[in-house]
Amino acid sequence: MVRSRAVVAAMGFLLCLPSLLPAGTFEVASRDELNALMVRLRATQFLQHATFGPTDAEITTLAARMMQIGVLPGAEEWIDQQFALPATHHQDLAEAMVVADGFTITLDTINISRYRYQAWWHNAITAPDQLRQRMAWALMQTLVVGQSGSNFNDPNADSAQKARWLGLSNYYDMLVDKSFSDYRDVLGGVTFHPIMGTWLSHLRNRKATTTTFPDENYAREVLQLFSMGLYKLNPDGTHITDSNGQSVPTYDISNIETFARLFTGLNYARSTTISNGTINLVEPMIMYQAYHDTNPKQVFGGVTLPGNVAGVQDINAGLDNIFAQPTVAPFICHKLIQRFVRSNPSKGYIRRVVSRFNDNGSGKRGDLKAVIKEILLDQEAWDGIRMVRRTNPWRLEVTGEGTERSRLQEPVIAYAHFLRRYASTNYTNGWFALPTLAGNWVQYPYGSPTVFNFYSPTFQPSGDLTETSGSQNIPGGDLYAPEFQLLDAVYANRNPNRYRSDIFNGQTVHTLFSNATLGTFVCTIRYDLSKEIALAPNSAALAAYLDQTLCCGTMTDSVRQSLVNALNVAPQNNSATPTNRAQAALLCVLTSPAYAIVE
């Protein structure tokens, strides 16, 4: 084992090699085999965008269907099938996990709130409604809440007889349920949810008095982060400018003050007064009319909301006004494209998705089904990988197209991908009872430190990117790499160590809780590398298989050959069994740019 680890260290240079140089070549025996490989790679690429990482079975099934009816029809059919699946929820699962372990939901001596992370990981890895789960994860990174909110980790029961720590799971499930609705519905769910009311402090927000003014926190963020952003946008994502060439702001302080007045009078469900202390983090907030500002409110577009109307009606009218603003579509669509496909979508890509947001084909605005289908099926969702057929001999050349057509996988998604392909669990009911794994990455479920998410959508890492302008197709010309904000020195060290420990130990033992009275609860995750081990005697076949299944074939020939050469040295080591060779190869691929970067 010691020497096979040295092989891994010797191949560590793969981390530093670019994945965007010459093509990777796959030789095949016939035209039919070439076409089948091409379709399989397209199925892999599509599922990398649409899931938490495709399993081998999912790729095989989709590729077979694509061979029958075509790549695009097959992808669209898969999306429609995902739309038809029932939602997989987190709150109910977290509660079931607690009960199965023999505890009560409100037991605080074992940090009971950890079950919300276990439920999240289990659903990310196993839920059949993968597209819905990915959409909810994308929405959670736009409509952000985090676990640091008041009472969010409290084990005590609330007025709905639910433990308060379940509130975050309930909020996430609200996003799960609304992932395929329309964006106005999402805004409503977020606005009235007590988790957001607590997080951004419009809970118990009261109309002005002679000495006090409404809290402006939610009013600001619903405009800046949840709907329009800072500047007015054209349908292609470019900034609207004034006569001096300056970007035009979407709102000003007067708008914030007006909407702060709008979001007044809300308190927990089942409370008895506006100041009642009964906490309820799982049911929508209710209105106390006496504390709602009932004066007329001039909102966007010269619209005036009338005075003396019911508070909930007033808030909904204000949300309708926000949702109607033209900039909402390009602002939200740009963010969703970033989360699913690429960090730097072109103006044309944004414009086409915005067109679907504005009209789903039946006159409906904000339809998220239409939006996500357009994002995943648009030509630019596919052109990050170029495939060229060659003859004499038959072969397929595959090239990753570069910075403007790719994104760095988030740590959570990259690891979920690894688990979905290789992992099994011995825990009760086959649950993947994983902890936060926050010790490996800054990013983890419910762990956003602020409303601004784990990273900025306009983050630029230091180096060449800040000096490089995008093509004329990129709005504004600046290139961004949001997820690179998470790639610091700590992550660069801990991420490969996480994979190395998992792979070479063959299992990961998560001690969830240990107590002299209550006992020890352990979830063991095991990894099935049987296919890789079977291929290990043939280094070229093993490298090609890993490239195709984990990297969509985007490794260059030179990088893949470097991996083959290193594996061919391994037989000189007494410990280099097929298992060791498979483990070493897998670790090198999982820590390579070709895996980290999704084209």
Side-chain angles (χ1 to χ4, degrees):
M1 179 65 73
V2 174
R3 290 189 177 182
S4 63
R5 290 176 181 174
V7 172
V8 174
M11 290 189 282
F13 73 95
L14 288 173
L15 287 168
C16 304
L17 291 175
S19 63
L20 308 174
L21 293 171
T25 305
F26 298 93
E27 294 188 359
V28 294
S30 65
R31 181 193 297 272
D32 289 345
E33 189 177 335
L34 187 152
N35 288 336
L37 175 59
M38 182 175 175
V39 170
R40 185 174 179 84
L41 292 178
R42 287 301 184 197
T44 304
Q45 179 189 21
F46 171 78
L47 291 172
Q48 280 190 345
H49 294 161
T51 72
F52 275 98
T55 67
D56 194 64
E58 288 168 341
I59 294 170
T60 298
T61 299
L62 179 58
R65 187 59 176 156
M66 286 178 166
M67 288 292 290
Q68 292 175 338
I69 65 175
V71 170
L72 280 176
E76 184 170 17
E77 180 182 80
W78 183 90
I79 293 172
D80 289 335
Q81 291 168 348
Q82 288 285 301
F83 288 160
L85 291 175
T88 304
H89 290 130
H90 299 73
Q91 179 182 334
D92 292 345
L93 176 58
E95 292 180 280
M97 287 177 160
V98 173
V99 172
D101 281 351
F103 300 130
T104 60
I105 303 296
T106 57
L107 184 65
D108 62 350
T109 57
I110 60 166
N111 184 20
I112 206 77
S113 62
R114 64 180 170 80
Y115 282 95
R116 66 168 168 247
Y117 310 111
Q118 295 173 196
W120 189 93
W121 277 109
H122 178 76
N123 283 345
I125 296 166
T126 68
D129 56 328
Q130 280 287 300
L131 181 58
R132 182 188 292 273
Q133 299 299 319
R134 272 297 304 273
M135 177 62 100
W137 179 245
L139 292 174
M140 186 69 163
Q141 295 192 73
T142 298
L143 306 146
V144 181
V145 295
Q147 64 182 11
S148 61
S150 178
N151 297 302
F152 287 4
N153 304 302
D154 191 336
N156 293 314
D158 63 15
S159 63
Q161 299 306 303
K162 293 292 185 181
R164 295 169 185 173
W165 63 267
L166 287 168
L168 278 174
S169 297
N170 183 274
Y171 179 86
Y172 199 94
D173 283 342
M174 179 270 296
L175 296 180
V176 168
D177 287 335
K178 296 182 184 299
S179 287
F180 296 152
S181 62
D182 65 78
Y183 196 71
R184 169 61 183 85
D185 190 32
V186 173
L187 281 177
V190 167
T191 299
F192 287 97
H193 201 286
I195 286 289
M196 184 59 76
T198 303
W199 180 249
L200 288 183
S201 58
H202 62 293
L203 176 84
R204 295 179 180 156
N205 200 16
R206 309 183 190 201
K207 65 182 180 181
T209 68
T210 56
T211 58
T212 63
F213 298 93
D215 187 291
E216 297 176 354
N217 203 16
Y218 186 69
R220 179 181 297 104
E221 305 308 353
V222 76
L223 301 179
Q224 178 183 344
L225 301 176
F226 301 169
S227 60
M228 295 189 292
L230 294 174
Y231 300 106
K232 292 185 177 181
L233 303 173
N234 292 303
D236 64 0
T238 56
H239 284 205
I240 294 173
T241 56
D242 59 21
S243 58
N244 296 318
Q246 300 298 309
S247 297
V248 179
T250 52
Y251 62 89
D252 57 26
I253 187 61
S254 67
N255 299 126
I256 294 174
E257 292 171 345
T258 297
F259 280 96
R261 291 167 49 212
L262 180 75
F263 300 118
T264 52
L266 294 172
N267 195 15
Y268 296 117
R270 308 194 193 200
S271 56
T272 56
T273 69
I274 189 69
S275 58
N276 183 276
T278 304
I279 296 171
N280 184 328
L281 296 178
V282 298
E283 294 179 318
M285 295 182 290
I286 60 175
M287 175 61 64
Y288 282 88
Q289 187 69 21
Y291 296 91
H292 179 72
D293 186 318
T294 57
N295 294 311
K297 303 172 183 71
Q298 185 171 349
V299 289
F300 295 112
V303 174
T304 299
L305 303 182
N308 299 314
V309 299
V312 171
Q313 177 185 341
D314 199 23
I315 290 176
N316 279 322
L319 292 176
D320 289 343
N321 178 258
I322 293 172
F323 177 66
Q325 301 313 300
T327 292
V328 172
F331 181 73
I332 295 301
C333 291
H334 184 276
K335 283 195 169 189
L336 290 177
I337 295 171
Q338 284 188 315
R339 297 286 66 76
F340 282 94
V341 178
R342 58 174 59 174
S343 298
N344 296 282
S346 73
K347 290 181 283 188
Y349 195 178
I350 296 170
R351 186 188 302 111
R352 290 187 293 274
V353 178
V354 165
S355 178
R356 280 294 181 186
F357 186 102
N358 289 332
D359 185 344
N360 67 351
S362 301
K364 183 176 178 59
R365 188 167 188 271
D367 180 1
L368 291 177
K369 284 184 177 179
V371 168
I372 190 57
K373 182 174 281 192
E374 183 65 35
I375 288 173
L376 293 176
L377 297 183
D378 189 272
Q379 178 58 42
E380 292 194 41
W382 306 89
D383 67 9
I385 298 176
R386 180 166 55 90
M387 301 184 193
V388 179
R389 297 179 178 90
R390 301 294 186 187
T391 59
N392 298 321
W394 291 106
R395 62 196 186 279
L396 182 68
E397 293 181 355
V398 182
T399 307
E401 287 294 280
T403 301
E404 292 186 12
R405 296 180 172 88
S406 63
R407 76 177 195 283
L408 177 68
Q409 287 198 80
E410 302 163 58
V412 162
I413 294 180
Y415 193 63
H417 184 183
F418 164 68
L419 294 176
R420 294 195 82 234
R421 285 197 63 86
Y422 294 105
S424 62
T425 172
N426 73 337
Y427 208 69
T428 305
N429 295 323
W431 287 328
F432 282 86
L434 299 179
T436 64
L437 300 177
N440 300 281
W441 315 289
V442 172
Q443 184 190 47
Y444 61 96
Y446 309 109
S448 179
T450 72
V451 74
F452 295 98
N453 195 23
F454 300 99
Y455 47 81
S456 167
T458 58
F459 177 76
Q460 292 181 306
S462 59
D464 293 343
L465 193 63
T466 58
E467 305 298 327
T468 303
S469 296
S471 70
Q472 61 181 357
N473 295 323
I474 301 299
D478 292 325
L479 295 176
Y480 304 112
E483 293 84 356
F484 273 85
Q485 193 167 354
L486 300 173
L487 207 167
D488 56 15
V490 175
Y491 172 77
N493 177 58
R494 290 182 177 177
N495 182 58
N497 281 335
R498 171 77 272 165
Y499 286 120
R500 180 192 174 285
S501 176
D502 292 345
I503 292 168
F504 277 92
N505 289 329
Q507 64 179 26
T508 306
V509 179
H510 296 287
T511 301
L512 306 174
F513 172 72
S514 183
N515 179 278
T517 302
L518 300 173
T520 299
F521 291 79
V522 174
C523 176
T524 300
I525 307 296
R526 293 187 173 87
Y527 307 98
D528 180 5
L529 274 62
S530 55
K531 288 189 176 181
E532 287 77 4
I533 293 170
L535 290 170
N538 185 333
S539 299
L542 175 59
Y545 172 76
L546 291 173
D547 183 11
Q548 292 171 24
T549 56
L550 293 174
C551 310
C552 288
T554 58
M555 275 190 173
T556 65
D557 284 341
S558 62
V559 170
R560 187 152 24 103
Q561 188 59 49
S562 296
L563 175 57
V564 170
N565 292 342
L567 290 173
N568 286 339
V569 173
Q572 300 174 16
N573 302 315
N574 294 332
S575 61
T577 65
T579 296
N580 296 148
R581 289 160 61 86
Q583 291 168 331
L586 178 58
L587 178 60
C588 284
V589 173
L590 289 175
T591 54
S592 72
Y595 178 72
I597 302 296
V598 174
E599 306 284 355

